[in-house]
Amino acid sequence: MAALPVRDDRRIVLHLDYDCFYASVFEVERPALKSQPLAVQQKQIVVTCNYEARRRGLHKLQLIKDAKRICPEVVIVLGEDLTKFRDASKDIYHFIRSFIWGGRVERLGFDELSLDVTEMVDYNMNLLNQSNIKSSFFHLDKSDPTVGFTYNATGFHGFTNPPQEQESSESANNLSTLGMRLLIGSHLLSHLRSKLEYEKGFTATGGVSTSKLLAKLVGSVHKPNQQTTLIPPYEMDDNTESNVIGFLDSHEIQKIPGIGSRLAQKLRAKVTGQDTGDGKVTVRDVRLHPNMGPPLLEKTLGGPGAAKGIGQRIWGVLHGVDNTEVMEGRDLPSQISIEDTYGRGRLDNIESVRRELTVLTKSLLRRMRTDLVDRGELNAEKPRWLAHPRTLRLSTRPRNPPEIDGTRTYNANRTSRSAPLPSLVFNLDENLDSLAERLVQDHVMGMFRKLHTERSGWDLGLLNIAVTNMVESAGDQKQSSGRDIGKMFRQQETVLREWTVYESDDPPKLTPDVKAVEQCGWQDEDEDEDEDPPLLSIECSICGAPIPHFAQQAHALYHVSEEN
Ligand code: DGT
Ligand code: MG
């Protein structure tokens, strides 16, 4: 058997995932909505709904018409403009970060945070007074011993995984050091969650463990507005089973953050011996497959385009090893991308394409000015670009031509073209309308013609315009030297990407009664955002994951099915 990978359990990591995030943003604005079933609409789809609506049978990624049929009294609000979600997300991030020493908080998308609280936990562990453990004081500020909160350190806050019996022998008295540190972390998480609720109006679901991977996974065990700690033993020896292994083993392989659809499909194919890679395969099935270990994983998953050392890395992930640091989040994205989907026949001539590209380009330029320009406090300073994207990228998704019998198959393949971003976009004096028109006329249309050489006749389902390859402006940050920050923001970028939703006639036929699997979230690290997906793989236009063509329909079904 291959050597077991070594997990570094020195850190304590908390994970937060805000409950029904977009819906909560509306509820915070209008608290009367809280008691009503509330759904947020993008195109014809409920992108999320509050828990009152979920109690009445609604769920994420459901068609609006189905939601109205199931719950006629549902209140529907439009959520296509992401500005307020982005603003709320930044506001919560800064709020939570203000509590965490060293600012060790990473934003994973709009509604998830990873927090490295090792230093805070260890400091408070050293100050625990065993004689008065029931009313311990958690210090939130080293320089002011009055800042903090009292907590009962005889037990974990919230749920544990596995569940603890009431009178368990795992009381604070005989907890291992790791157990005690996780316990202290669980109280900090509870404090942060209640601060968030009472000061900002948002509830969140949380997890406590020793890595981003484990904290995120265990956090999703009890939802909403709950928290779960993955308790020791973490190590395995002759007498004890590791709780980490036990917890991970039951997960379907694709539910593990870092194992995206492409890797999961290869792993399923390996384990089942069938080319299709379909069917339920758990972490345990892969881990215990004959001869499984880094070399076999490298052979199975490696190849052109795969990250170096992928076998070793995935072998680690299967054992709960994730030594990636919680990166301090920044508000600078590594790319900005704007897109829209179009009904049949709406984009089949050059004038309609030019018109839509101008609309999208104007939004893109506006977003660049919002997210990449520093105007100083109160807009008082001379505006300054914090980062300069280097590349302009245009992507389209043509519809397939009709078959002989008149039916059309759905095409989710994007084609893209990149070019250097002209410097005219950085002129802050020019108004957005004329800038957008110039950029489209002089650059974007040329890119479009290279993508679609025929003069007309194409029928496009999607247009996407993006600026990528972001380079921080010199002098902005301490470490700034004009370096490429794309890699650093890979995870945020994946989830901060604006989603596309289908127009009603656009998606493949969907039947909404299929059991859900987890929401797409993290990206395979071996997938390069800036490259087009491989030919046989199709990029899902909801979550962006590359999906093999044969799995396309199953994947589409999962987007309309209820989350489990
Ligand atoms: P939760 O965490 O189950 O209580 O519910 P949410 O709504 O927080 O869902 P989550 O955490 O998966 O995603 C956060 C927000 O992102 C959600 O409020 C709406 C948006 N969102 C999630 N998935 C999709 C998607 O597939 N398409 C679109 N357009 N938006 C999505
Ligand atoms: Mg959420």
Side-chain angles (χ1 to χ4, degrees), residues 17-24 40 42 45-49 51 54 60-61 79 82 85 110-112 205 223-224 495 498-501 519-520 541-543 559 563:
D17 180 335
Y18 321 143
D19 299 321
C20 55
F21 180 52
Y22 288 7
S24 298
V40 181
Q42 285 180 354
I45 288 181
V46 172
V47 280
T48 195
C49 52
Y51 279 80
R54 294 188 201 190
K60 291 190 264 188
L61 306 178
L82 302 184
F85 311 132
F110 277 179
D111 90 327
E112 289 181 46
T205 294
K223 298 172 70 171
V495 269
E498 311 220 350
W499 284 283
T500 310
V501 287
Q519 188 87 22
C520 287
S541 64
I542 295 181
C543 65
H559 276 301
E563 60 114 28

Short mmCIF file of all heavy atoms in Angstrom, two decimals, residues 17-24 40 42 45-49 51 54 60-61 79 82 85 110-112 205 223-224 495 498-501 519-520 541-543 559 563, ligand 1:
data_model
loop_
_atom_site.label_atom_id
_atom_site.label_comp_id
_atom_site.label_asym_id
_atom_site.label_seq_id
_atom_site.Cartn_x
_atom_site.Cartn_y
_atom_site.Cartn_z
N ASP A 17 -20.40 29.96 5.16
CA ASP A 17 -21.18 30.01 3.91
C ASP A 17 -22.51 30.67 4.27
O ASP A 17 -23.28 30.14 5.06
CB ASP A 17 -21.39 28.57 3.40
CG ASP A 17 -22.18 28.50 2.10
OD1 ASP A 17 -22.96 29.44 1.81
OD2 ASP A 17 -22.04 27.50 1.38
N TYR A 18 -22.76 31.85 3.72
CA TYR A 18 -23.97 32.58 4.10
C TYR A 18 -25.21 31.85 3.58
O TYR A 18 -25.20 31.31 2.47
CB TYR A 18 -23.98 34.02 3.57
CG TYR A 18 -22.63 34.70 3.63
CD1 TYR A 18 -22.22 35.55 2.62
CD2 TYR A 18 -21.76 34.47 4.69
CE1 TYR A 18 -20.97 36.16 2.65
CE2 TYR A 18 -20.52 35.07 4.74
CZ TYR A 18 -20.12 35.90 3.71
OH TYR A 18 -18.89 36.48 3.74
N ASP A 19 -26.26 31.87 4.38
CA ASP A 19 -27.48 31.16 4.00
C ASP A 19 -28.22 31.94 2.92
O ASP A 19 -28.34 33.16 2.99
CB ASP A 19 -28.37 30.98 5.23
CG ASP A 19 -27.65 30.15 6.31
OD1 ASP A 19 -26.96 29.18 5.94
OD2 ASP A 19 -27.78 30.49 7.50
N CYS A 20 -28.75 31.21 1.97
CA CYS A 20 -29.55 31.75 0.83
C CYS A 20 -29.12 33.19 0.53
O CYS A 20 -29.93 34.12 0.64
CB CYS A 20 -31.04 31.65 1.13
SG CYS A 20 -31.61 32.42 2.65
N PHE A 21 -27.88 33.34 0.10
CA PHE A 21 -27.24 34.65 0.14
C PHE A 21 -28.00 35.75 -0.61
O PHE A 21 -28.30 36.80 -0.05
CB PHE A 21 -25.80 34.53 -0.37
CG PHE A 21 -25.07 35.84 -0.35
CD1 PHE A 21 -25.04 36.62 0.80
CD2 PHE A 21 -24.42 36.34 -1.47
CE1 PHE A 21 -24.40 37.84 0.85
CE2 PHE A 21 -23.77 37.56 -1.44
CZ PHE A 21 -23.76 38.31 -0.29
N TYR A 22 -28.30 35.53 -1.89
CA TYR A 22 -28.94 36.61 -2.64
C TYR A 22 -30.28 36.98 -1.99
O TYR A 22 -30.64 38.16 -1.90
CB TYR A 22 -29.20 36.20 -4.10
CG TYR A 22 -27.97 36.12 -4.99
CD1 TYR A 22 -26.69 36.26 -4.47
CD2 TYR A 22 -28.10 35.90 -6.36
CE1 TYR A 22 -25.58 36.17 -5.29
CE2 TYR A 22 -26.99 35.82 -7.18
CZ TYR A 22 -25.73 35.94 -6.64
OH TYR A 22 -24.64 35.85 -7.45
N ALA A 23 -31.02 35.96 -1.54
CA ALA A 23 -32.32 36.23 -0.92
C ALA A 23 -32.11 37.04 0.37
O ALA A 23 -32.86 37.98 0.65
CB ALA A 23 -33.04 34.92 -0.63
N SER A 24 -31.07 36.70 1.13
CA SER A 24 -30.81 37.42 2.37
C SER A 24 -30.48 38.89 2.11
O SER A 24 -30.82 39.75 2.91
CB SER A 24 -29.63 36.81 3.12
OG SER A 24 -29.92 35.50 3.45
N VAL A 40 -35.31 34.57 -5.78
CA VAL A 40 -34.55 35.54 -6.58
C VAL A 40 -34.46 35.01 -8.01
O VAL A 40 -34.03 33.87 -8.23
CB VAL A 40 -33.14 35.75 -5.99
CG1 VAL A 40 -32.37 36.78 -6.82
CG2 VAL A 40 -33.23 36.19 -4.54
N GLN A 42 -33.22 35.09 -11.99
CA GLN A 42 -32.34 35.52 -13.07
C GLN A 42 -32.84 34.81 -14.32
O GLN A 42 -32.94 33.58 -14.32
CB GLN A 42 -30.88 35.14 -12.79
CG GLN A 42 -30.22 36.01 -11.76
CD GLN A 42 -28.77 35.60 -11.50
OE1 GLN A 42 -28.29 34.60 -12.01
NE2 GLN A 42 -28.10 36.39 -10.69
N ILE A 45 -35.07 31.54 -14.15
CA ILE A 45 -34.67 30.57 -13.12
C ILE A 45 -34.62 31.20 -11.73
O ILE A 45 -34.26 32.37 -11.58
CB ILE A 45 -33.29 29.96 -13.50
CG1 ILE A 45 -33.50 29.01 -14.67
CG2 ILE A 45 -32.65 29.23 -12.34
CD1 ILE A 45 -32.28 28.32 -15.16
N VAL A 46 -35.01 30.41 -10.73
CA VAL A 46 -34.85 30.81 -9.34
C VAL A 46 -33.39 30.50 -8.98
O VAL A 46 -33.01 29.34 -8.88
CB VAL A 46 -35.76 29.95 -8.42
CG1 VAL A 46 -35.46 30.21 -6.95
CG2 VAL A 46 -37.22 30.19 -8.73
N VAL A 47 -32.56 31.54 -8.82
CA VAL A 47 -31.15 31.23 -8.52
C VAL A 47 -30.98 30.88 -7.05
O VAL A 47 -30.11 30.10 -6.69
CB VAL A 47 -30.15 32.33 -8.90
CG1 VAL A 47 -29.85 32.28 -10.36
CG2 VAL A 47 -30.57 33.68 -8.44
N THR A 48 -31.81 31.47 -6.21
CA THR A 48 -31.87 31.00 -4.82
C THR A 48 -33.20 31.43 -4.24
O THR A 48 -33.92 32.23 -4.82
CB THR A 48 -30.70 31.51 -3.96
OG1 THR A 48 -30.66 30.73 -2.76
CG2 THR A 48 -30.85 32.98 -3.60
N CYS A 49 -33.53 30.87 -3.10
CA CYS A 49 -34.77 31.26 -2.42
C CYS A 49 -34.54 31.15 -0.93
O CYS A 49 -33.63 30.42 -0.49
CB CYS A 49 -35.94 30.39 -2.87
SG CYS A 49 -35.66 28.64 -2.76
N TYR A 51 -35.35 30.27 3.13
CA TYR A 51 -35.70 28.96 3.69
C TYR A 51 -37.20 28.82 3.90
O TYR A 51 -37.71 27.69 3.90
CB TYR A 51 -34.85 28.67 4.94
CG TYR A 51 -33.47 28.18 4.52
CD1 TYR A 51 -32.48 29.07 4.12
CD2 TYR A 51 -33.20 26.82 4.43
CE1 TYR A 51 -31.25 28.63 3.69
CE2 TYR A 51 -31.97 26.35 4.00
CZ TYR A 51 -30.99 27.26 3.62
OH TYR A 51 -29.77 26.80 3.17
N ARG A 54 -38.12 27.40 0.76
CA ARG A 54 -37.67 26.00 0.66
C ARG A 54 -38.60 25.08 1.45
O ARG A 54 -38.87 23.96 1.04
CB ARG A 54 -36.22 25.87 1.15
CG ARG A 54 -35.25 26.62 0.23
CD ARG A 54 -33.80 26.38 0.56
NE ARG A 54 -32.97 27.47 0.02
CZ ARG A 54 -31.65 27.48 -0.02
NH1 ARG A 54 -30.97 26.45 0.42
NH2 ARG A 54 -31.00 28.52 -0.51
N LYS A 60 -33.21 25.90 -5.20
CA LYS A 60 -32.31 26.65 -6.08
C LYS A 60 -32.36 26.04 -7.49
O LYS A 60 -32.49 24.83 -7.64
CB LYS A 60 -30.86 26.55 -5.57
CG LYS A 60 -30.62 27.27 -4.27
CD LYS A 60 -29.13 27.34 -3.94
CE LYS A 60 -28.71 26.25 -3.01
NZ LYS A 60 -27.33 26.39 -2.52
N LEU A 61 -32.20 26.92 -8.48
CA LEU A 61 -32.11 26.51 -9.87
C LEU A 61 -33.37 25.78 -10.37
O LEU A 61 -33.29 24.79 -11.07
CB LEU A 61 -30.84 25.68 -10.11
CG LEU A 61 -29.56 26.36 -9.64
CD1 LEU A 61 -28.36 25.47 -9.84
CD2 LEU A 61 -29.35 27.70 -10.31
N GLY A 79 -32.82 39.45 -9.68
CA GLY A 79 -31.46 39.47 -9.16
C GLY A 79 -30.41 39.45 -10.25
O GLY A 79 -29.34 38.89 -10.07
N LEU A 82 -25.85 42.21 -10.31
CA LEU A 82 -25.12 41.62 -9.18
C LEU A 82 -24.52 42.65 -8.23
O LEU A 82 -23.89 42.29 -7.25
CB LEU A 82 -24.00 40.70 -9.70
CG LEU A 82 -24.43 39.56 -10.62
CD1 LEU A 82 -23.22 38.69 -10.97
CD2 LEU A 82 -25.51 38.70 -9.99
N PHE A 85 -25.21 42.33 -4.51
CA PHE A 85 -24.65 41.11 -3.91
C PHE A 85 -23.13 41.29 -3.72
O PHE A 85 -22.56 40.91 -2.71
CB PHE A 85 -24.92 39.88 -4.77
CG PHE A 85 -26.36 39.76 -5.20
CD1 PHE A 85 -26.69 39.51 -6.51
CD2 PHE A 85 -27.38 39.95 -4.28
CE1 PHE A 85 -28.01 39.43 -6.91
CE2 PHE A 85 -28.72 39.86 -4.65
CZ PHE A 85 -29.03 39.61 -5.98
N PHE A 110 -18.80 34.86 -3.77
CA PHE A 110 -19.54 35.92 -3.10
C PHE A 110 -19.90 35.54 -1.67
O PHE A 110 -20.02 36.39 -0.82
CB PHE A 110 -20.86 36.18 -3.83
CG PHE A 110 -20.73 37.09 -5.02
CD1 PHE A 110 -21.84 37.40 -5.78
CD2 PHE A 110 -19.51 37.65 -5.37
CE1 PHE A 110 -21.76 38.24 -6.87
CE2 PHE A 110 -19.41 38.48 -6.46
CZ PHE A 110 -20.53 38.77 -7.21
N ASP A 111 -20.14 34.28 -1.40
CA ASP A 111 -20.78 33.99 -0.12
C ASP A 111 -20.05 32.96 0.73
O ASP A 111 -20.68 32.35 1.60
CB ASP A 111 -22.25 33.62 -0.33
CG ASP A 111 -22.47 32.15 -0.55
OD1 ASP A 111 -21.59 31.51 -1.14
OD2 ASP A 111 -23.51 31.64 -0.10
N GLU A 112 -18.76 32.79 0.52
CA GLU A 112 -18.02 31.88 1.40
C GLU A 112 -16.72 32.52 1.85
O GLU A 112 -16.06 33.23 1.09
CB GLU A 112 -17.69 30.58 0.65
CG GLU A 112 -18.90 29.72 0.40
CD GLU A 112 -18.54 28.43 -0.32
OE1 GLU A 112 -17.55 27.78 0.08
OE2 GLU A 112 -19.23 28.10 -1.28
N THR A 205 -23.76 29.41 7.72
CA THR A 205 -23.49 28.05 8.15
C THR A 205 -21.98 27.91 8.25
O THR A 205 -21.26 28.47 7.41
CB THR A 205 -24.11 27.10 7.11
OG1 THR A 205 -25.52 27.25 7.18
CG2 THR A 205 -23.75 25.66 7.41
N LYS A 223 -27.23 22.53 7.83
CA LYS A 223 -27.62 23.82 7.27
C LYS A 223 -29.09 24.05 7.56
O LYS A 223 -29.82 23.08 7.64
CB LYS A 223 -27.47 23.82 5.74
CG LYS A 223 -26.07 23.62 5.24
CD LYS A 223 -26.06 23.44 3.74
CE LYS A 223 -26.41 24.71 2.97
NZ LYS A 223 -26.20 24.61 1.54
N PRO A 224 -29.59 25.27 7.55
CA PRO A 224 -28.88 26.53 7.57
C PRO A 224 -28.62 26.98 9.01
O PRO A 224 -29.14 26.38 9.94
CB PRO A 224 -29.91 27.47 6.93
CG PRO A 224 -31.23 26.93 7.39
CD PRO A 224 -31.05 25.43 7.51
N VAL A 495 -15.27 31.51 -8.54
CA VAL A 495 -16.59 31.67 -7.98
C VAL A 495 -17.12 33.08 -8.13
O VAL A 495 -18.32 33.30 -8.08
CB VAL A 495 -16.60 31.21 -6.52
CG1 VAL A 495 -16.97 29.76 -6.45
CG2 VAL A 495 -15.28 31.42 -5.87
N GLU A 498 -19.31 35.84 -13.11
CA GLU A 498 -20.75 36.04 -13.20
C GLU A 498 -21.35 34.83 -13.90
O GLU A 498 -20.87 34.40 -14.92
CB GLU A 498 -21.03 37.31 -14.00
CG GLU A 498 -20.20 38.44 -13.51
CD GLU A 498 -20.95 39.74 -13.47
OE1 GLU A 498 -22.06 39.79 -14.00
OE2 GLU A 498 -20.42 40.68 -12.87
N TRP A 499 -22.41 34.31 -13.31
CA TRP A 499 -23.03 33.14 -13.91
C TRP A 499 -23.92 33.52 -15.07
O TRP A 499 -24.43 34.63 -15.11
CB TRP A 499 -23.88 32.43 -12.88
CG TRP A 499 -23.13 31.65 -11.90
CD1 TRP A 499 -22.57 30.43 -12.09
CD2 TRP A 499 -22.86 32.01 -10.55
NE1 TRP A 499 -21.97 30.00 -10.93
CE2 TRP A 499 -22.13 30.94 -9.99
CE3 TRP A 499 -23.17 33.10 -9.76
CZ2 TRP A 499 -21.71 30.95 -8.68
CZ3 TRP A 499 -22.74 33.10 -8.47
CH2 TRP A 499 -22.02 32.04 -7.93
N THR A 500 -24.10 32.60 -15.93
CA THR A 500 -25.06 32.81 -16.99
C THR A 500 -26.27 31.96 -16.67
O THR A 500 -26.14 30.87 -16.17
CB THR A 500 -24.50 32.24 -18.30
OG1 THR A 500 -23.21 32.75 -18.45
CG2 THR A 500 -25.36 32.63 -19.46
N VAL A 501 -27.42 32.45 -16.94
CA VAL A 501 -28.59 31.59 -16.82
C VAL A 501 -29.25 31.48 -18.18
O VAL A 501 -29.13 32.36 -19.02
CB VAL A 501 -29.57 32.10 -15.76
CG1 VAL A 501 -29.03 31.86 -14.39
CG2 VAL A 501 -29.87 33.56 -15.95
N GLN A 519 -23.50 21.77 -5.27
CA GLN A 519 -23.27 22.92 -6.13
C GLN A 519 -21.83 22.93 -6.64
O GLN A 519 -20.93 22.61 -5.89
CB GLN A 519 -23.48 24.14 -5.24
CG GLN A 519 -23.47 25.43 -5.93
CD GLN A 519 -24.87 25.71 -6.42
OE1 GLN A 519 -25.83 25.17 -5.92
NE2 GLN A 519 -24.95 26.54 -7.40
N CYS A 520 -21.64 23.30 -7.87
CA CYS A 520 -20.26 23.45 -8.33
C CYS A 520 -19.60 24.56 -7.56
O CYS A 520 -20.22 25.55 -7.25
CB CYS A 520 -20.22 23.83 -9.80
SG CYS A 520 -20.64 22.48 -10.83
N SER A 541 -22.62 26.25 -18.99
CA SER A 541 -22.81 27.70 -18.98
C SER A 541 -23.45 28.18 -17.69
O SER A 541 -23.66 29.36 -17.51
CB SER A 541 -23.63 28.13 -20.19
OG SER A 541 -24.89 27.56 -20.08
N ILE A 542 -23.77 27.28 -16.76
CA ILE A 542 -24.22 27.74 -15.45
C ILE A 542 -23.05 27.83 -14.50
O ILE A 542 -22.81 28.85 -13.86
CB ILE A 542 -25.31 26.81 -14.88
CG1 ILE A 542 -26.56 26.90 -15.77
CG2 ILE A 542 -25.67 27.22 -13.46
CD1 ILE A 542 -27.71 26.04 -15.30
N CYS A 543 -22.26 26.75 -14.41
CA CYS A 543 -21.21 26.77 -13.40
C CYS A 543 -19.83 26.86 -14.02
O CYS A 543 -18.85 27.02 -13.30
CB CYS A 543 -21.28 25.51 -12.53
SG CYS A 543 -20.94 24.02 -13.47
N HIS A 559 -28.31 20.89 -12.23
CA HIS A 559 -28.47 22.32 -11.96
C HIS A 559 -29.90 22.71 -11.66
O HIS A 559 -30.15 23.76 -11.09
CB HIS A 559 -27.95 23.15 -13.14
CG HIS A 559 -26.47 23.36 -13.08
ND1 HIS A 559 -25.86 23.98 -12.01
CD2 HIS A 559 -25.48 23.01 -13.92
CE1 HIS A 559 -24.56 24.02 -12.22
NE2 HIS A 559 -24.32 23.43 -13.37
N GLU A 563 -30.91 20.99 -4.01
CA GLU A 563 -29.68 20.63 -3.34
C GLU A 563 -30.00 19.74 -2.15
O GLU A 563 -31.03 19.85 -1.54
CB GLU A 563 -28.92 21.88 -2.89
CG GLU A 563 -29.69 22.74 -1.96
CD GLU A 563 -29.05 22.75 -0.62
OE1 GLU A 563 -27.83 22.57 -0.54
OE2 GLU A 563 -29.78 22.89 0.36
P1 DGT B 1 -27.44 28.05 0.81
O1 DGT B 1 -25.96 28.26 0.93
O2 DGT B 1 -27.81 26.66 0.39
O3 DGT B 1 -28.22 28.48 2.00
O4 DGT B 1 -27.98 28.96 -0.40
P2 DGT B 1 -27.24 30.08 -1.21
O5 DGT B 1 -28.30 30.86 -1.93
O6 DGT B 1 -26.33 30.90 -0.36
O7 DGT B 1 -26.45 29.25 -2.30
P3 DGT B 1 -24.90 29.13 -2.60
O8 DGT B 1 -24.14 29.29 -1.33
O9 DGT B 1 -24.75 27.88 -3.35
O10 DGT B 1 -24.62 30.33 -3.61
C1 DGT B 1 -24.56 31.70 -3.21
C2 DGT B 1 -25.32 32.60 -4.17
O11 DGT B 1 -24.82 32.47 -5.49
C3 DGT B 1 -26.81 32.28 -4.26
O12 DGT B 1 -27.55 33.04 -3.32
C4 DGT B 1 -27.17 32.58 -5.65
C5 DGT B 1 -25.89 32.46 -6.43
N1 DGT B 1 -25.81 31.19 -7.20
C6 DGT B 1 -25.46 29.97 -6.71
N2 DGT B 1 -25.47 29.06 -7.66
C7 DGT B 1 -25.83 29.70 -8.81
C8 DGT B 1 -26.02 29.27 -10.17
O13 DGT B 1 -25.83 28.12 -10.51
N3 DGT B 1 -26.41 30.23 -11.06
C9 DGT B 1 -26.60 31.53 -10.68
N4 DGT B 1 -26.96 32.41 -11.60
N5 DGT B 1 -26.41 31.96 -9.42
C10 DGT B 1 -26.04 31.05 -8.50
#
